[in-house]
């Protein structure tokens, strides 16, 4: 019977076209969402007890009280480094501890000095760094200032709610009388009955019951962004980059990690990841807000309004979570790059990925056997298409038992991996969190005997259904389980693996086919007596944390890890890459890729991508080509497709399509030095490699609503072709006194202007910013590691004056952590007036490269030089061959033949 049930579920999954919304809750079907959303703005019942105030060098501590219930809460307001502020509100005397998502942070945030400037019975003013905050006592409200500008208000509309834990005999939830007409009618009924009807003590969805032994436990608060019309972030949603209003028009944006089959575009439904981080941006200021809560969360956005005598715009938002505490970080900017740095301090950055991982990945559910892998690998060589990683999905295992191999299809896995890695390539296998209940399966038997599974509400091992059928789910909340899981990646445990085999953690929302909303029951129990509802959105990050640790341990901390996760939360960037999930091969899903990846990128999830070509359905040649062209200019570049789709390796298409795909992949490989440099800088300062135009041009209001073009670093503007049968695209070029150059034909465009760019099937609209220098490699190899000592080409795009440009290049060994010991090269290139120079920015003499400078292309130079001369300590001066094209103001200098890390100069003599 159980197998029939599984087959039924799988058949349904394979036949559905588009998401079945009936499988997922709306706000109206969620008791805590209804209770919070039905609140009306007004005077808050929460007030600050000024006589309980405690001031220390870094924080303010006091108590809050609810005037209607008498319940007390603790309040902490702390000053953090880089001008940030933290506000924590918790129950003062809870009947059980409330969950705090501190493991998502990159360590405990460092506190810094806070100054109490003034205080009276109505509140106080504090200063922290260059910023200040005003704390109002009754009703409680917090106003945060960036410098002297008021930027964020908390609880200004009185929507704060903190449902304390209780036993069922206690009174109904606070603010019940404020919560809309439907609940007001119910007030005449006994309190317990009202709460049951409102989902306070038990909730039902379809055939599932959710018990709530401690009653309602939601927390919520409103935040107003003063001076802002545009807010961004809170991934993951398949929606516009500039977040839309939800109040009065749709459900709130939902953050609840879910396995959403063939998700729809342009709606606020929850998807695979949840990062409760929002950025507000205007032409004069950028700020951020992090709501650190791992429970199911909804966020309402009101339409921007004009406020006060100054008529400043204001965007009001309302955040509420099912459980946990109120733990909020205010990031005051003042600029977009400052907010990225501040968020990086809190949640960490993406560790510098191994070089191969930013190249092209080939994946499918599933490559059938070792012979299939061998043929795919060989065909990339035969058709002269570079790739770096081949992936194996669930069918490679012995009956969906992870850390095993199907001995018939993959009898010699180590030999198979070595054959691939002999060409400088790698392999990835999938390892999911659901463990097949099979007494002969060593992972299951160990997990069972050690008590490592999540429990159901009755204390027995939780039994859910996923790909293997009946499955247990490991309790990664338990540090002992995480250590045990990490040990399983050791070569002595994972038989057939090598150090060149990496990992894909899928289905880790977690996905439970027969669970409510295709996930785990909220009343399941974790280590520490936590309910699953308390930490659901952290399940995926705890798994990847464990996997990452396993990768490091297996090489004794020498080699960098690569892993991909579908579920993500605050801090997931510290452990690897993510992707947008199970998309569909249509133009809508191609278009939505850009805003989805931008939302992830500005929220700290910087190593991100989408399944090229679409996971479901079969793309035609045009769509597939355009998707490859877009994916080549996005951080994580992987083609992937469903088991039931047609095979779509590039050589299976006609010659023209194959060539267009090859050209797109080759463009990615030529720019790998630039991407690698951006990822190094991302680790240092949190700046995402893929970023919105306004991050580089913060005062250009035309860019604030843009979804269809973006920056790669500070130097490249990309506008993928995302419409069928397009013959042109409209490109906006930002920046006052800025100039841009088409990377293909070197045509010049001025900033603050839009231009119609003709496109053929081979055209990818990419433009280099004037005043920048990019290092490329133009020799194509079968994999990235084989290009390690290959020469570089510098593309020097001069600014509007034709006299200035600069850029950087980072080089290390590409795969170890030796760069943390100073074994790297970080070079700066500068062109001033008539001379190009190279100088060391950082690094040490511990690392050397054989790579040399093969070519220099200077764009935007108005006069042909008479002579071009290179000077180096190695050989003195020598003249160089060059070509000048006056029609495009292009100077091509050939074979300077200087080492890329040496100090040298190239001078143009007129």
């Amino acid at each position: 019977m159980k197998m029939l049930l599984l087959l039924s579920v799988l058949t349904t999954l394979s036949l559905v076209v588009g998401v079945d919304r009936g499988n997922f809750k709306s706000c109206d079907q969620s008791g805590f969402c209804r209770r919070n959303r039905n609140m009306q703005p007004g005077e808050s019942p929460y007030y600050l007890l000024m006589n309980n105030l405690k001031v220390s060098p870094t924080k303010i501590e006091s108590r809050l009280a609810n005037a209607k219930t008498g319940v007390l809460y603790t309040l902490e307001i702390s000053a953090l480094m880089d001008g940030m502020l933290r506000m924590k509100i918790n129950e003062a005397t809870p009947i059980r501890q409330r969950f705090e998502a501190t493991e998502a942070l990159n360590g405990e945030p460092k506190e810094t000095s806070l100054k109490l400037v003034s205080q009276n019975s109505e509140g106080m003013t504090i200063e922290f760094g260059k910023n200040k905050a005003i704390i109002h006592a009754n009703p409680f409200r917090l106003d945060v200032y960036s410098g002297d500008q008021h930027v964020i208000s908390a609880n200004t509309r009185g929507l704060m709610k903190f449902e304390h834990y209780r036993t069922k005999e206690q009174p109904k939830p606070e603010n019940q009388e404020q919560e809309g007409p439907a609940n007001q009618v119910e007030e005449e009924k006994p309190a317990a009955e009202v709460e049951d009807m409102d989902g306070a003590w038990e909730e039902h969805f379809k055939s599932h019951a959710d018990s709530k032994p401690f009653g309602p436990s939601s927390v919520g608060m409103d935040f107003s962004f003063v001076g802002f019309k545009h807010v961004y972030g809170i991934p993951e949603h398949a929606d516009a980059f500039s977040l839309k209003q939800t109040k009065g028009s749709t459900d709130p944006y939902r953050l609840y990690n879910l396995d959403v089959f063939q998700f729809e575009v342009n709606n606020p439904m929850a998807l695979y990841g949840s990062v409760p981080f929002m950025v507000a941006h205007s032409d004069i200021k950028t700020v951020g807000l992090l709501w650190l809560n791992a429970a199911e969360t909804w966020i309402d956005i009101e339409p921007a309004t004009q406020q006060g005598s100054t008529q400043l715009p204001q965007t009001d938002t309302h955040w509420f979570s099912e459980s946990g505490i109120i733990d909020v970080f205010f990031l005051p900017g003042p600029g977009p790059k400052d907010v990225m740095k501040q968020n990086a301090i809190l949640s960490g950055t993406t560790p510098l990925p191994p070089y191969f991982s930013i190249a092209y990945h080939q994946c499918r559910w599933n490559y059938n056997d070792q012979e299939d892998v061998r043929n795919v690998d060989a065909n990339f060589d035969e058709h002269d298409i570079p790739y770096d990683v081949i992936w194996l999905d669930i069918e490679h295992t012995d009956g969906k038992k992870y850390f095993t191999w199907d001995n018939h299809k993959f009898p010699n896995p180590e030999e198979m991996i070595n054959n691939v890695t002999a060409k400088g390539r790698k392999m990835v296998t999938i390892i999911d969190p659901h463990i097949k209940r099979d007494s002969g399966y060593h992972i299951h038997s160990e997990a069972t005997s050690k008590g490592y599974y999540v429990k159901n509400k009755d204390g027995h091992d939780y039994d859910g259904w996923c790909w293997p059928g009946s499955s247990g789910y490991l309790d990664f909340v338990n540090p002992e389980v995480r250590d045990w899981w990490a040990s399983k990646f050791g070569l002595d445990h994972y038989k057939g693996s090598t150090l060149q085999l990496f990992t894909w953690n899928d289905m880790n929302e977690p996905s439970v086919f027969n669970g409510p909303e295709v996930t785990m029951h909220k009343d399941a129990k974790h280590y520490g007596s936590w309910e699953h509802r308390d930490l659901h959105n952290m399940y995926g990050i705890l798994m990847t944390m464990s996997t990452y640790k396993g990768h490091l341990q297996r090489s004794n901390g020498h080699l960098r890890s690569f892993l991909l996760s579908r579920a993500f939360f605050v801090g997931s960037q510290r452990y690897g890459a993510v992707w947008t999930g199970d998309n569909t091969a249509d133009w809508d899903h191609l278009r939505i890729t850009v805003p989805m990846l931008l939302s992830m990128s500005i929220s700290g999830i910087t190593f991100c991508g989408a399944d090229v070509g679409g996971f479901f359905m079969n793309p035609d040649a045009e769509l597939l080509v355009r998707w490859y062209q877009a994916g080549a200019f996005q951080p994580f570049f992987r083609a992937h497709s469903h088991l039931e789709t047609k095979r779509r390796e590039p050589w299976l298409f006609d010659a023209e399509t194959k060539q267009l795909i090859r050209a797109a992949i080759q463009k990615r490989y030529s720019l790998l030095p630039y991407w690698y440099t951006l990822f190094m800088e991302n680790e240092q300062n949190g700046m995402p490699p893929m970023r919105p135009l306004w991050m580089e041009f913060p005062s250009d209001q035309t860019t604030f609503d843009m979804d269809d073009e973006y920056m790669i670093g500070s130097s490249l503007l990309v506008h993928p072709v995302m419409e069928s049968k397009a013959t042109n695209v409209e490109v906006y070029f930002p920046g006052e006194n800025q100039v841009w150059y088409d990377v293909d034909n070197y045509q010049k465009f001025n900033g603050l202007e839009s231009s119609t760019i003709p496109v053929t099937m081979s055209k990818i609209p990419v433009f280099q910013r004037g005043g920048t220098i990019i290092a490329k490699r133009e020799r194509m190899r079968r994999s990235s590691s084989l290009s390690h000592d290959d020469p570089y080409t510098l593309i020097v795009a001069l600014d509007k004056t034709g006299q200035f440009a600069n850029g950087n290049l980072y080089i290390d060994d590409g795969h170890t952590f030796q760069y943390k010991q100073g074994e790297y090269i970080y070079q700066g290139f500068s062109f001033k007036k008539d001379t190009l120079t190279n100088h060391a920015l950082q690094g040490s003499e511990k690392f050397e490269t054989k790579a040399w400078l093969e070519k220099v292309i200077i764009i935007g130079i108005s006069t042909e030089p008479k002579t071009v001369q290179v000077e180096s300590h190695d050989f003195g001066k020598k003249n160089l061959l060059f070509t000048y094209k006056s029609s495009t103001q292009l100077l091509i200098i050939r074979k300077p033949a200087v080492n890329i890390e040496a100090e040298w100069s190239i001078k143009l003599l007129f």
Side-chain angles (χ1 to χ4, degrees), residues 243-275:
L243 297 168
K244 301 172 184 175
Q245 74 172 73
T246 60
K247 192 71 172 178
S249 59
T250 181
D251 265 359
Y253 284 100
R254 190 184 188 199
L255 295 176
Y256 190 58
N257 293 359
L258 292 172
D259 182 358
V260 182
F261 183 90
Q262 276 185 287
F263 59 84
E264 291 181 5
V265 303
N266 301 316
N267 72 56
M269 288 180 65
L271 291 177
Y272 310 92
S274 300
V275 183

Side-chain angles (χ1 to χ4, degrees), residues 298-593:
W298 301 76
I299 302 153
D300 250 332
I301 300 176
E302 300 267 3
T305 56
Q306 306 293 324
Q307 298 289 325
S309 58
T310 60
Q311 290 294 288
L312 282 175
Q314 178 171 306
T315 297
D316 295 327
T317 64
H318 184 197
W319 304 56
F320 35 98
S321 300
E322 187 174 11
S323 66
I325 69 169
I326 294 175
D327 193 359
V328 184
F329 297 81
F330 302 94
L331 288 62
K337 296 183 180 181
D338 300 305
V339 172
M340 296 300 101
K341 178 185 175 185
Q342 289 158 359
N343 189 39
I345 291 171
L346 295 176
S347 61
T349 59
T350 302
L352 181 61
Y355 199 79
F356 76 83
S357 67
I358 63 171
Y360 174 63
H361 300 245
Q362 183 66 34
C363 185
R364 176 177 175 79
W365 178 21
N366 199 87
Y367 288 118
N368 299 321
D369 50 33
Q370 282 188 212
E371 184 64 14
D372 198 5
V373 170
R374 188 192 68 79
N375 287 334
V376 170
D377 180 68
N379 270 301
F380 271 97
D381 295 336
E382 180 179 341
H383 295 276
D384 195 25
I385 303 173
Y387 92 100
D388 265 65
V389 191
I390 191 165
W391 295 53
L392 296 180
D393 211 315
I394 55 177
E395 311 303 331
H396 83 277
T397 63
D398 176 15
K400 314 298 189 299
K401 292 180 287 191
Y402 304 108
F403 298 101
T404 71
W405 302 85
D406 184 321
N407 290 328
H408 299 289
K409 296 179 179 179
F410 298 92
N412 300 299
E414 190 170 348
E415 177 185 319
M416 173 184 64
I417 296 168
N418 290 337
N419 288 340
V420 169
T421 59
K423 302 175 183 179
R425 294 169 178 152
K426 317 295 179 187
M427 182 174 283
V428 169
T429 52
I430 194 168
I431 296 180
D432 293 346
H434 48 261
I435 304 301
K436 185 173 184 176
R437 291 188 177 279
D438 181 336
S439 60
Y441 176 28
H442 67 286
I443 299 290
H444 169 66
S445 59
E446 284 185 46
T448 302
S449 64
K450 294 176 181 290
Y452 284 170
Y453 284 135
V454 176
K455 310 303 180 186
N456 62 25
K457 66 178 182 179
D458 299 320
H460 304 296
D461 285 353
Y462 181 86
D463 188 350
W465 285 74
C466 208
W467 299 124
S470 177
S471 302
Y473 288 76
L474 291 166
D475 188 0
F476 292 106
V477 179
N478 185 345
E480 185 178 321
V481 175
R482 296 204 294 265
D483 290 342
W484 173 80
W485 180 259
S487 73
K488 297 305 173 186
F489 291 90
L491 303 189
D492 56 335
H493 285 276
Y494 189 178
K495 302 300 183 182
S497 69
T498 77
L499 292 177
Q500 307 306 315
L501 181 68
F502 297 87
T503 303
W504 172 16
N505 287 157
D506 196 4
M507 314 296 286
N508 54 341
E509 294 77 27
S511 179
V512 183
F513 291 159
N514 61 336
E517 300 193 88
V518 201
T519 192
M520 188 172 285
H521 293 71
K522 288 182 175 180
D523 55 8
K525 294 181 179 179
H526 288 270
Y527 172 82
S529 298
W530 301 116
E531 287 189 297
H532 187 70
R533 81 179 75 254
D534 299 323
L535 52 88
H536 171 86
N537 288 340
M538 279 191 69
Y539 187 87
I541 185 179
L542 293 172
M543 181 187 188
T544 56
M545 183 188 300
S546 314
T547 301
Y548 181 80
K549 183 176 183 179
H551 278 202
L552 299 189
Q553 287 179 349
R554 68 181 187 175
S555 68
N556 294 317
H558 180 63
L559 298 177
R560 289 178 235 169
S561 166
F562 170 73
L563 67 93
L564 179 72
S565 175
R566 190 169 70 177
F568 57 90
F569 185 61
V570 176
S572 286
Q573 65 269 19
R574 302 197 301 271
Y575 307 111
V578 304
W579 89 108
T580 60
D582 296 343
N583 57 4
T584 302
D586 61 37
W587 291 93
D588 286 341
H589 276 83
L590 171 58
R591 281 188 291 270
I592 207 67
T593 294

Side-chain angles (χ1 to χ4, degrees), residues 35 166-168 170-173 176 186 190-202 215-216:
R35 294 196 301 273
R166 68 202 76 192
T167 60
K168 196 165 186 178
Q170 289 182 300
K172 61 189 174 183
Q176 188 79 39
E186 294 173 352
E193 182 181 354
V194 173
E195 292 171 8
D196 278 339
M197 292 181 64
D198 205 27
W201 295 96
E202 185 171 69

Side-chain angles (χ1 to χ4, degrees), residues 570-857:
V570 176
S572 286
Q573 65 269 19
R574 302 197 301 271
Y575 307 111
V578 304
W579 89 108
T580 60
D582 296 343
N583 57 4
T584 302
D586 61 37
W587 291 93
D588 286 341
H589 276 83
L590 171 58
R591 281 188 291 270
I592 207 67
T593 294
V594 173
M596 290 181 77
L597 297 183
L598 286 173
S599 297
M600 291 181 185
S601 292
I602 68 164
S603 302
I605 310 295
T606 55
F607 196 5
C608 55
D611 286 344
V612 169
F615 180 66
F616 293 110
M617 314 299 287
N618 297 300
D620 61 20
E622 181 193 14
L623 176 59
L624 186 62
V625 167
R626 292 305 191 194
W627 214 315
Y628 266 99
Q629 292 172 342
F633 289 90
Q634 292 165 355
F636 177 58
F637 185 26
R638 180 185 75 152
H640 184 41
S641 55
H642 188 272
L643 182 72
E644 295 180 359
T645 61
K646 297 177 182 176
R647 295 286 287 255
R648 57 172 88 145
E649 287 78 22
W651 52 87
L652 299 179
F653 293 83
D654 60 86
E656 180 185 6
T657 300
K658 180 183 74 173
Q659 170 53 31
L660 291 169
I661 293 172
R662 176 197 293 127
I665 295 174
Q666 288 178 339
K667 285 194 174 184
R668 173 57 167 236
Y669 275 74
S670 71
L671 285 169
L672 286 179
Y674 180 60
W675 279 104
Y676 198 58
T677 300
L678 292 176
F679 271 107
M680 182 282 297
E681 293 169 349
N682 169 241
E683 183 182 26
Q684 299 299 313
N685 58 31
M687 278 298 292
M690 181 178 179
R691 58 190 72 158
L693 271 62
W694 52 255
M695 194 164 285
E696 291 296 325
F697 303 94
S699 63
D700 192 338
Q701 296 186 34
T702 306
T703 67
F704 293 178
D705 278 314
M706 284 194 168
D707 282 292
D708 56 359
E709 59 184 73
Y710 53 91
M711 298 291 296
I712 299 299
S714 60
S715 302
L716 292 180
L717 184 154
V718 183
H719 190 306
V721 180
M722 297 180 290
E723 300 288 342
S724 179
K725 303 187 179 355
T727 58
N728 60 72
V729 295
E730 191 75 11
V731 177
Y732 176 72
F733 296 97
E736 187 175 1
N737 297 318
Q738 186 66 61
V739 65
W740 300 84
Y741 302 94
D742 188 309
V743 299
D744 296 320
N745 58 30
Y746 309 110
Q747 184 178 352
K748 184 188 295 186
F749 301 91
N750 291 318
L752 303 183
E753 295 180 4
S754 294
S755 295
T756 301
I757 308 299
V759 295
T760 62
M761 279 302 299
S762 64
K763 179 64 177 175
I764 312 174
V766 179
F767 306 86
Q768 186 169 344
R769 181 181 183 178
T772 66
I773 300 174
I774 289 177
K776 298 174 62 179
R777 277 191 169 123
E778 297 187 326
R779 298 186 183 186
M780 286 299 113
R781 304 291 186 181
R782 63 177 68 181
S783 67
S784 66
S785 65
L786 301 181
S787 68
H788 190 68
D789 292 324
D790 280 355
Y792 290 91
T793 293
L794 294 183
I795 311 297
V796 182
L798 299 182
D799 69 348
K800 199 162 189 175
T801 69
Q803 297 190 42
F804 176 78
N806 60 35
N808 302 329
L809 173 64
Y810 175 82
I811 308 170
D812 63 17
D813 64 24
H815 63 280
T816 76
F817 284 104
Q818 290 304 112
Y819 74 96
K820 291 184 175 291
Q821 308 304 318
E823 295 187 21
Y824 64 87
I825 297 165
Y826 189 32
Q827 297 295 108
F829 307 107
S830 179
F831 184 93
K832 293 182 180 179
K833 294 185 179 180
D834 57 8
T835 304
L836 175 67
T837 58
N838 177 34
H839 59 282
L841 297 174
Q842 292 177 11
S844 70
E845 297 179 357
K846 296 179 183 178
F847 185 80
E848 297 180 351
T849 180
K850 298 177 182 177
W852 53 283
L853 182 60
E854 183 175 41
K855 187 191 301 182
V856 177
I857 298 175

Side-chain angles (χ1 to χ4, degrees), residues 21 24-39 179-183 186 196-200 202-206 212 246-254 268 296 298 300 320 517 522:
R21 289 196 179 205
F24 305 101
K25 286 184 180 180
S26 66
C27 182
D28 284 342
Q29 294 170 306
S30 168
F32 88 90
C33 188
R34 289 196 308 274
R35 294 196 301 273
N36 281 269
R37 202 182 200 202
N38 287 340
M39 293 178 68
E179 296 175 356
N183 289 334
E186 294 173 352
D196 278 339
M197 292 181 64
D198 205 27
E202 185 171 69
E203 200 159 359
H204 295 266
F205 180 68
K206 301 181 78 169
K212 302 180 182 182
T246 60
K247 192 71 172 178
S249 59
T250 181
D251 265 359
Y253 284 100
R254 190 184 188 199
E296 178 186 355
W298 301 76
D300 250 332
F320 35 98
E517 300 193 88
K522 288 182 175 180

